[in-house]
Every structure is written in C-alpha cells, then in structure tokens.
Amino acid sequence: MSSKILADFGIERILLGIHYTMAIIWLIMLCASLGLMLFTNPAAAVNSMISGAHGAVELSLNLLALYAFWLGFFSLIEKLGLSRGLEKLLRPVISRLFPSCDTETRKYITMNFSANLLGLGNAATPMAITAINRMDTGNPRATTDMIMLTVISATSLQLLPTTVIGMRATAGSANPADFLFPSLVATVLSTAIGIIGVKICAKIFDRPQKKRKLSTADNAALPLSPAPTRHKKRVRKSKKQSAQGGAA
C-alpha cells in the first residue's frame, strides 16, 4: 500500500491533525486543572505536584530493573544465536505477513514479536525501527511490510503484560495479574483486526498501481509497425519512374 495514495485521500493530514488536536486538548486540560487548583487551594496544588513528581520518579526506578532484565535477556538471546530458533519457529507466520523480507530482517521482527508478547513495548520499539530501516529500499513511500509491522507493533499482542503487572504491583495491587484473560482477548482482537485491515487496504489501494503496470507492460509488448525496407522504397521509385516514362 503506497502512502502516496493515502496522501491523495488526505488520511496522513487527518492523522497529523488528530495528533496535534489531542496534544492541544491535553495541554488545555492540564493548564485548566492547575489553574483551578492554584486559585482554589494553592497548598494542595503544590503538594499534588510534588507527590506526583515523586511517584513518577519512584515508578521509573521500579520499572528500570524490569526493563534492564528483559533487555539484557533479549541481548543474550541474540548473542547466543537463539533468535534464529525463534525465527524458525515463527517463520510460517512471519513469511505470510512479511513476504518480501530477508532472513536478517525477520530476525528483528521475531525479536519485536517476542518483546510484545511479554508486554515490553519500549524494548520492542528499537527492534521494530531496525527492521523497518532494513526494509527501506530508498523509496520515499512506505511499503506494505512497513505498514504491517507498524500496525502489529501498535496493537501489541501480549501473552504476559509484564510492564502493567509491574506497575500494578508497585501501586500495591493485591493481585496484579488478575487482568490477564481480558488483556489477552483484547490484544488478540486488536492485532487480528489490524492485520485484516492492512491486507484489505493493500488489495484496494495497490490495485490501481497493478493495473497501470500491466497496461504499461502490454503496451511495451505490442509489436511495432515495421518500417519500410530499402527494397520497397526502390520498387516504389522504379514504378514511379516507369509511369513517368510511359506518360512522356
């Protein structure tokens, strides 16, 4: 699916407009809430900002160990060559979703899938970026494989959402993993809908390009009209001279 066709329909501009609109809405909400708190109860506003900053730093430090462990785990898998085994295990699925990727690119896609399955979105992002860079062939337009990987990374099929479990455990949840089944159902449905949507859009938007390519190939395959040979020119010239001699 070419992003040029998407740009013709204005979808890219619409998405960009939605992004800026949501950023503006969140900024207005933040400024309005802080302004009201400062005018109504300044002491509570200051205490809330300090406690919020303290909680954000504490949460970041608690998640730092979790991400350091899993990033080191994936790095160890890659150095030991176990990523090739994962790539072979997921090859039937990846080859259907990404038919034009080479073995090295599929390895990074496999690592991205594995990180998403464990709920490590931040760890999966660098692998997805590396895979998309390897898919880049110099074309300024995104390919179907690039869009497919972006959609799958965004929907993030998760079997074990470790990040959310860690956040719930840090917040003091009595059973931080009690949402596994709803999370699994939601991520499976979102990933399936995303894949189906990309496949449908690829068939719809790539069809005009295929027709143009086929028509161009057919026109190129048509035989050119043969130019008159020198012999034919000589025959015509002799007939013309004989006709002029007979008239004289």
Side-chain angles (χ1 to χ4, degrees), residues 79-132:
K79 289 183 178 180
L80 292 176
L82 298 178
S83 58
R84 296 179 181 177
L86 290 174
E87 192 271 332
K88 290 181 181 179
L89 182 63
L90 298 176
R91 184 178 297 173
V93 178
I94 294 177
S95 60
R96 289 181 178 274
L97 295 177
F98 308 94
S100 61
C101 294
D102 56 7
T103 305
E104 190 69 18
T105 305
R106 288 175 182 175
K107 183 186 75 173
Y108 287 105
I109 295 174
T110 302
M111 300 296 288
N112 173 265
F113 280 12
S114 302
N116 279 327
L117 289 176
L118 295 175
L120 303 174
N122 292 336
T125 301
M127 303 169 192
I129 293 174
T130 304
I132 290 177

Short mmCIF file of all heavy atoms in Angstrom, two decimals, residues 79-132:
data_model
loop_
_atom_site.label_atom_id
_atom_site.label_comp_id
_atom_site.label_asym_id
_atom_site.label_seq_id
_atom_site.Cartn_x
_atom_site.Cartn_y
_atom_site.Cartn_z
N LYS A 79 22.93 -12.85 21.14
CA LYS A 79 24.35 -13.22 21.09
C LYS A 79 24.54 -14.73 21.07
O LYS A 79 25.48 -15.23 20.46
CB LYS A 79 25.08 -12.61 22.28
CG LYS A 79 25.24 -11.10 22.19
CD LYS A 79 26.03 -10.54 23.36
CE LYS A 79 26.21 -9.04 23.23
NZ LYS A 79 27.00 -8.47 24.37
N LEU A 80 23.66 -15.46 21.72
CA LEU A 80 23.76 -16.92 21.73
C LEU A 80 23.20 -17.56 20.46
O LEU A 80 23.33 -18.77 20.28
CB LEU A 80 23.02 -17.49 22.95
CG LEU A 80 23.64 -17.17 24.31
CD1 LEU A 80 22.76 -17.72 25.43
CD2 LEU A 80 25.04 -17.76 24.41
N GLY A 81 22.57 -16.76 19.62
CA GLY A 81 22.02 -17.30 18.38
C GLY A 81 20.66 -17.95 18.54
O GLY A 81 20.18 -18.60 17.60
N LEU A 82 20.05 -17.77 19.72
CA LEU A 82 18.73 -18.38 19.93
C LEU A 82 17.64 -17.66 19.15
O LEU A 82 16.55 -18.21 18.96
CB LEU A 82 18.38 -18.36 21.42
CG LEU A 82 19.30 -19.17 22.33
CD1 LEU A 82 18.86 -19.04 23.78
CD2 LEU A 82 19.32 -20.63 21.91
N SER A 83 17.94 -16.43 18.70
CA SER A 83 16.95 -15.71 17.90
C SER A 83 16.66 -16.42 16.58
O SER A 83 15.57 -16.30 16.02
CB SER A 83 17.44 -14.29 17.63
OG SER A 83 18.69 -14.31 16.96
N ARG A 84 17.65 -17.18 16.09
CA ARG A 84 17.42 -17.94 14.86
C ARG A 84 16.38 -19.04 15.09
O ARG A 84 15.56 -19.32 14.23
CB ARG A 84 18.72 -18.55 14.38
CG ARG A 84 19.78 -17.52 13.98
CD ARG A 84 21.06 -18.20 13.53
NE ARG A 84 22.07 -17.21 13.16
CZ ARG A 84 23.30 -17.52 12.78
NH1 ARG A 84 23.67 -18.81 12.73
NH2 ARG A 84 24.16 -16.57 12.47
N GLY A 85 16.44 -19.65 16.30
CA GLY A 85 15.43 -20.66 16.61
C GLY A 85 14.04 -20.05 16.71
O GLY A 85 13.06 -20.64 16.24
N LEU A 86 13.95 -18.87 17.32
CA LEU A 86 12.66 -18.18 17.37
C LEU A 86 12.18 -17.81 15.98
O LEU A 86 10.99 -17.89 15.67
CB LEU A 86 12.78 -16.93 18.25
CG LEU A 86 12.96 -17.15 19.75
CD1 LEU A 86 13.20 -15.83 20.45
CD2 LEU A 86 11.75 -17.85 20.34
N GLU A 87 13.13 -17.39 15.14
CA GLU A 87 12.77 -17.02 13.77
C GLU A 87 12.24 -18.23 13.00
O GLU A 87 11.27 -18.12 12.25
CB GLU A 87 14.00 -16.42 13.07
CG GLU A 87 13.69 -15.73 11.75
CD GLU A 87 13.74 -16.68 10.58
OE1 GLU A 87 14.48 -17.67 10.65
OE2 GLU A 87 13.03 -16.43 9.58
N LYS A 88 12.86 -19.40 13.21
CA LYS A 88 12.37 -20.61 12.55
C LYS A 88 11.00 -21.01 13.08
O LYS A 88 10.15 -21.50 12.34
CB LYS A 88 13.37 -21.75 12.75
CG LYS A 88 14.68 -21.57 11.99
CD LYS A 88 15.61 -22.75 12.24
CE LYS A 88 16.92 -22.57 11.49
NZ LYS A 88 17.86 -23.71 11.73
N LEU A 89 10.79 -20.80 14.39
CA LEU A 89 9.51 -21.16 14.98
C LEU A 89 8.38 -20.29 14.45
O LEU A 89 7.26 -20.78 14.19
CB LEU A 89 9.60 -21.03 16.51
CG LEU A 89 8.35 -21.42 17.31
CD1 LEU A 89 8.03 -22.90 17.11
CD2 LEU A 89 8.55 -21.11 18.79
N LEU A 90 8.66 -18.99 14.29
CA LEU A 90 7.63 -18.06 13.81
C LEU A 90 7.71 -17.82 12.31
O LEU A 90 7.00 -16.94 11.79
CB LEU A 90 7.77 -16.72 14.54
CG LEU A 90 7.57 -16.75 16.05
CD1 LEU A 90 7.83 -15.38 16.65
CD2 LEU A 90 6.16 -17.21 16.40
N ARG A 91 8.56 -18.57 11.60
CA ARG A 91 8.74 -18.33 10.17
C ARG A 91 7.45 -18.48 9.36
O ARG A 91 7.19 -17.66 8.47
CB ARG A 91 9.81 -19.28 9.61
CG ARG A 91 10.13 -19.04 8.14
CD ARG A 91 11.22 -19.97 7.67
NE ARG A 91 12.46 -19.72 8.39
CZ ARG A 91 13.54 -20.49 8.27
NH1 ARG A 91 13.50 -21.58 7.51
NH2 ARG A 91 14.64 -20.18 8.94
N PRO A 92 6.60 -19.51 9.61
CA PRO A 92 5.37 -19.60 8.81
C PRO A 92 4.48 -18.37 8.92
O PRO A 92 3.90 -17.92 7.93
CB PRO A 92 4.68 -20.85 9.37
CG PRO A 92 5.78 -21.67 9.97
CD PRO A 92 6.75 -20.66 10.52
N VAL A 93 4.39 -17.80 10.13
CA VAL A 93 3.55 -16.63 10.32
C VAL A 93 4.20 -15.39 9.72
O VAL A 93 3.56 -14.61 9.00
CB VAL A 93 3.25 -16.42 11.82
CG1 VAL A 93 2.42 -15.16 12.04
CG2 VAL A 93 2.54 -17.63 12.40
N ILE A 94 5.50 -15.20 10.00
CA ILE A 94 6.20 -14.00 9.54
C ILE A 94 6.33 -13.99 8.02
O ILE A 94 6.22 -12.94 7.38
CB ILE A 94 7.58 -13.91 10.22
CG1 ILE A 94 7.40 -13.71 11.72
CG2 ILE A 94 8.41 -12.77 9.64
CD1 ILE A 94 8.70 -13.69 12.50
N SER A 95 6.55 -15.16 7.41
CA SER A 95 6.68 -15.20 5.95
C SER A 95 5.38 -14.83 5.26
O SER A 95 5.39 -14.26 4.16
CB SER A 95 7.12 -16.60 5.52
OG SER A 95 6.17 -17.58 5.92
N ARG A 96 4.26 -15.14 5.88
CA ARG A 96 2.97 -14.74 5.29
C ARG A 96 2.68 -13.26 5.50
O ARG A 96 2.09 -12.62 4.63
CB ARG A 96 1.84 -15.59 5.89
CG ARG A 96 1.84 -17.04 5.44
CD ARG A 96 0.69 -17.80 6.04
NE ARG A 96 0.65 -19.18 5.58
CZ ARG A 96 0.06 -19.59 4.47
NH1 ARG A 96 -0.56 -18.71 3.71
NH2 ARG A 96 0.07 -20.85 4.12
N LEU A 97 3.06 -12.75 6.66
CA LEU A 97 2.80 -11.34 6.94
C LEU A 97 3.81 -10.43 6.26
O LEU A 97 3.48 -9.30 5.87
CB LEU A 97 2.82 -11.10 8.45
CG LEU A 97 1.73 -11.80 9.27
CD1 LEU A 97 1.92 -11.53 10.75
CD2 LEU A 97 0.35 -11.34 8.82
N PHE A 98 5.06 -10.90 6.12
CA PHE A 98 6.14 -10.09 5.52
C PHE A 98 6.82 -10.89 4.42
O PHE A 98 7.92 -11.43 4.61
CB PHE A 98 7.15 -9.67 6.59
CG PHE A 98 6.52 -9.01 7.79
CD1 PHE A 98 6.20 -9.75 8.91
CD2 PHE A 98 6.26 -7.65 7.80
CE1 PHE A 98 5.63 -9.16 10.02
CE2 PHE A 98 5.69 -7.04 8.89
CZ PHE A 98 5.37 -7.79 10.01
N PRO A 99 6.19 -11.02 3.27
CA PRO A 99 6.73 -11.91 2.23
C PRO A 99 8.01 -11.40 1.58
O PRO A 99 8.77 -12.19 1.02
CB PRO A 99 5.59 -11.98 1.21
CG PRO A 99 4.80 -10.73 1.42
CD PRO A 99 4.91 -10.41 2.88
N SER A 100 8.28 -10.11 1.62
CA SER A 100 9.43 -9.56 0.90
C SER A 100 10.62 -9.28 1.80
O SER A 100 11.57 -8.61 1.37
CB SER A 100 9.03 -8.26 0.19
OG SER A 100 8.59 -7.29 1.13
N CYS A 101 10.63 -9.78 3.04
CA CYS A 101 11.73 -9.53 3.97
C CYS A 101 12.76 -10.65 3.90
O CYS A 101 12.41 -11.81 3.67
CB CYS A 101 11.20 -9.40 5.40
SG CYS A 101 10.14 -7.96 5.67
N ASP A 102 14.02 -10.29 4.15
CA ASP A 102 15.08 -11.29 4.17
C ASP A 102 15.19 -11.90 5.57
O ASP A 102 14.45 -11.56 6.49
CB ASP A 102 16.40 -10.68 3.74
CG ASP A 102 16.79 -9.46 4.59
OD1 ASP A 102 16.08 -9.19 5.59
OD2 ASP A 102 17.78 -8.79 4.26
N THR A 103 16.15 -12.82 5.72
CA THR A 103 16.28 -13.57 6.98
C THR A 103 16.68 -12.66 8.14
O THR A 103 16.16 -12.78 9.26
CB THR A 103 17.33 -14.68 6.82
OG1 THR A 103 16.94 -15.51 5.71
CG2 THR A 103 17.41 -15.54 8.08
N GLU A 104 17.60 -11.72 7.90
CA GLU A 104 18.06 -10.83 8.97
C GLU A 104 16.93 -9.92 9.44
O GLU A 104 16.77 -9.68 10.66
CB GLU A 104 19.23 -10.00 8.47
CG GLU A 104 19.95 -9.21 9.55
CD GLU A 104 20.72 -10.07 10.51
OE1 GLU A 104 20.99 -11.24 10.17
OE2 GLU A 104 21.06 -9.59 11.61
N THR A 105 16.14 -9.42 8.51
CA THR A 105 15.00 -8.58 8.89
C THR A 105 13.98 -9.37 9.68
O THR A 105 13.41 -8.87 10.67
CB THR A 105 14.36 -7.98 7.64
OG1 THR A 105 15.35 -7.28 6.89
CG2 THR A 105 13.25 -7.01 8.02
N ARG A 106 13.74 -10.60 9.27
CA ARG A 106 12.79 -11.44 10.00
C ARG A 106 13.28 -11.73 11.42
O ARG A 106 12.47 -11.94 12.33
CB ARG A 106 12.56 -12.74 9.24
CG ARG A 106 11.74 -12.56 7.96
CD ARG A 106 11.63 -13.85 7.19
NE ARG A 106 10.89 -13.66 5.95
CZ ARG A 106 10.73 -14.59 5.01
NH1 ARG A 106 11.26 -15.79 5.20
NH2 ARG A 106 10.05 -14.33 3.91
N LYS A 107 14.58 -11.76 11.63
CA LYS A 107 15.11 -11.98 12.97
C LYS A 107 14.71 -10.83 13.89
O LYS A 107 14.25 -11.05 15.02
CB LYS A 107 16.62 -12.12 12.92
CG LYS A 107 17.26 -12.41 14.27
CD LYS A 107 18.77 -12.40 14.20
CE LYS A 107 19.27 -10.96 14.11
NZ LYS A 107 20.75 -10.88 14.20
N TYR A 108 14.85 -9.59 13.40
CA TYR A 108 14.46 -8.44 14.22
C TYR A 108 12.94 -8.40 14.42
O TYR A 108 12.46 -7.99 15.48
CB TYR A 108 14.95 -7.15 13.58
CG TYR A 108 16.44 -6.96 13.69
CD1 TYR A 108 17.27 -7.17 12.60
CD2 TYR A 108 17.02 -6.59 14.90
CE1 TYR A 108 18.65 -7.00 12.71
CE2 TYR A 108 18.39 -6.42 15.01
CZ TYR A 108 19.20 -6.63 13.91
OH TYR A 108 20.55 -6.47 14.02
N ILE A 109 12.19 -8.81 13.40
CA ILE A 109 10.74 -8.86 13.55
C ILE A 109 10.35 -9.89 14.60
O ILE A 109 9.44 -9.67 15.42
CB ILE A 109 10.07 -9.19 12.19
CG1 ILE A 109 10.31 -8.05 11.20
CG2 ILE A 109 8.58 -9.42 12.36
CD1 ILE A 109 9.82 -8.35 9.80
N THR A 110 11.06 -11.01 14.62
CA THR A 110 10.80 -12.05 15.62
C THR A 110 11.08 -11.53 17.03
O THR A 110 10.30 -11.77 17.97
CB THR A 110 11.67 -13.27 15.34
OG1 THR A 110 11.39 -13.76 14.02
CG2 THR A 110 11.39 -14.37 16.34
N MET A 111 12.18 -10.80 17.18
CA MET A 111 12.51 -10.23 18.49
C MET A 111 11.46 -9.19 18.90
O MET A 111 11.09 -9.08 20.08
CB MET A 111 13.89 -9.59 18.45
CG MET A 111 15.01 -10.56 18.11
SD MET A 111 15.24 -11.84 19.34
CE MET A 111 15.96 -10.89 20.67
N ASN A 112 10.97 -8.44 17.94
CA ASN A 112 9.91 -7.48 18.22
C ASN A 112 8.64 -8.18 18.68
O ASN A 112 8.00 -7.76 19.66
CB ASN A 112 9.64 -6.64 16.98
CG ASN A 112 8.44 -5.73 17.13
OD1 ASN A 112 7.33 -6.07 16.74
ND2 ASN A 112 8.65 -4.54 17.68
N PHE A 113 8.28 -9.27 18.00
CA PHE A 113 7.11 -10.04 18.41
C PHE A 113 7.29 -10.60 19.82
O PHE A 113 6.36 -10.56 20.64
CB PHE A 113 6.88 -11.20 17.43
CG PHE A 113 6.19 -10.79 16.16
CD1 PHE A 113 6.03 -9.46 15.83
CD2 PHE A 113 5.70 -11.75 15.30
CE1 PHE A 113 5.40 -9.08 14.66
CE2 PHE A 113 5.06 -11.39 14.13
CZ PHE A 113 4.91 -10.06 13.81
N SER A 114 8.48 -11.12 20.10
CA SER A 114 8.73 -11.72 21.41
C SER A 114 8.62 -10.67 22.52
O SER A 114 8.05 -10.94 23.59
CB SER A 114 10.12 -12.36 21.43
OG SER A 114 10.23 -13.34 20.41
N ALA A 115 9.18 -9.48 22.27
CA ALA A 115 9.10 -8.42 23.28
C ALA A 115 7.66 -7.98 23.50
O ALA A 115 7.23 -7.74 24.64
CB ALA A 115 9.97 -7.23 22.87
N ASN A 116 6.89 -7.89 22.43
CA ASN A 116 5.49 -7.50 22.58
C ASN A 116 4.69 -8.59 23.30
O ASN A 116 3.78 -8.28 24.08
CB ASN A 116 4.87 -7.24 21.20
CG ASN A 116 5.20 -5.85 20.68
OD1 ASN A 116 5.33 -4.91 21.44
ND2 ASN A 116 5.36 -5.73 19.38
N LEU A 117 5.00 -9.85 23.03
CA LEU A 117 4.30 -10.93 23.73
C LEU A 117 4.52 -10.88 25.22
O LEU A 117 3.67 -11.29 26.01
CB LEU A 117 4.75 -12.28 23.17
CG LEU A 117 4.28 -12.63 21.76
CD1 LEU A 117 4.89 -13.95 21.31
CD2 LEU A 117 2.76 -12.71 21.68
N LEU A 118 5.69 -10.37 25.63
CA LEU A 118 6.00 -10.23 27.06
C LEU A 118 5.59 -8.88 27.61
O LEU A 118 5.91 -8.56 28.77
CB LEU A 118 7.49 -10.47 27.30
CG LEU A 118 7.99 -11.88 27.00
CD1 LEU A 118 9.50 -11.95 27.15
CD2 LEU A 118 7.31 -12.90 27.92
N GLY A 119 4.93 -8.06 26.80
CA GLY A 119 4.45 -6.77 27.28
C GLY A 119 5.52 -5.71 27.40
O GLY A 119 5.33 -4.75 28.15
N LEU A 120 6.62 -5.85 26.69
CA LEU A 120 7.73 -4.89 26.76
C LEU A 120 7.69 -4.00 25.52
O LEU A 120 8.48 -4.18 24.58
CB LEU A 120 9.06 -5.62 26.88
CG LEU A 120 9.18 -6.59 28.07
CD1 LEU A 120 10.47 -7.37 28.00
CD2 LEU A 120 9.08 -5.82 29.38
N GLY A 121 6.76 -3.06 25.51
CA GLY A 121 6.62 -2.20 24.34
C GLY A 121 7.85 -1.36 24.06
O GLY A 121 8.27 -1.20 22.91
N ASN A 122 8.46 -0.81 25.11
CA ASN A 122 9.64 0.02 24.92
C ASN A 122 10.83 -0.79 24.44
O ASN A 122 11.67 -0.30 23.69
CB ASN A 122 10.00 0.74 26.22
CG ASN A 122 8.97 1.78 26.60
OD1 ASN A 122 8.25 2.28 25.75
ND2 ASN A 122 8.87 2.09 27.88
N ALA A 123 10.94 -2.05 24.86
CA ALA A 123 12.02 -2.91 24.39
C ALA A 123 11.78 -3.35 22.95
O ALA A 123 12.74 -3.63 22.21
CB ALA A 123 12.16 -4.12 25.30
N ALA A 124 10.52 -3.44 22.54
CA ALA A 124 10.21 -3.89 21.18
C ALA A 124 10.40 -2.78 20.15
O ALA A 124 10.64 -3.07 18.97
CB ALA A 124 8.77 -4.40 21.12
N THR A 125 10.30 -1.53 20.58
CA THR A 125 10.38 -0.42 19.62
C THR A 125 11.70 -0.34 18.88
O THR A 125 11.71 -0.19 17.65
CB THR A 125 10.08 0.90 20.35
OG1 THR A 125 8.79 0.84 20.95
CG2 THR A 125 10.13 2.07 19.38
N PRO A 126 12.87 -0.43 19.55
CA PRO A 126 14.13 -0.38 18.79
C PRO A 126 14.26 -1.49 17.76
O PRO A 126 14.82 -1.27 16.67
CB PRO A 126 15.20 -0.50 19.88
CG PRO A 126 14.53 -0.07 21.13
CD PRO A 126 13.13 -0.51 21.00
N MET A 127 13.75 -2.67 18.07
CA MET A 127 13.83 -3.78 17.11
C MET A 127 12.94 -3.52 15.90
O MET A 127 13.31 -3.84 14.76
CB MET A 127 13.42 -5.08 17.80
CG MET A 127 14.27 -5.41 19.01
SD MET A 127 13.58 -6.75 19.99
CE MET A 127 14.58 -6.61 21.48
N ALA A 128 11.77 -2.93 16.13
CA ALA A 128 10.89 -2.59 15.01
C ALA A 128 11.52 -1.52 14.14
O ALA A 128 11.42 -1.57 12.90
CB ALA A 128 9.53 -2.13 15.54
N ILE A 129 12.16 -0.53 14.75
CA ILE A 129 12.82 0.53 13.97
C ILE A 129 13.95 -0.06 13.12
O ILE A 129 14.12 0.30 11.94
CB ILE A 129 13.34 1.62 14.91
CG1 ILE A 129 12.17 2.35 15.57
CG2 ILE A 129 14.22 2.62 14.15
CD1 ILE A 129 12.59 3.35 16.62
N THR A 130 14.73 -0.98 13.70
CA THR A 130 15.80 -1.61 12.94
C THR A 130 15.25 -2.42 11.77
O THR A 130 15.79 -2.38 10.65
CB THR A 130 16.62 -2.54 13.86
OG1 THR A 130 17.11 -1.77 14.97
CG2 THR A 130 17.80 -3.14 13.13
N ALA A 131 14.16 -3.15 12.01
CA ALA A 131 13.56 -3.94 10.92
C ALA A 131 13.02 -3.05 9.81
O ALA A 131 13.20 -3.34 8.62
CB ALA A 131 12.44 -4.82 11.49
N ILE A 132 12.39 -1.94 10.17
CA ILE A 132 11.85 -1.03 9.16
C ILE A 132 12.98 -0.37 8.37
O ILE A 132 12.88 -0.17 7.15
CB ILE A 132 10.93 0.01 9.82
CG1 ILE A 132 9.65 -0.66 10.30
CG2 ILE A 132 10.59 1.13 8.84
CD1 ILE A 132 8.70 0.25 11.02
#
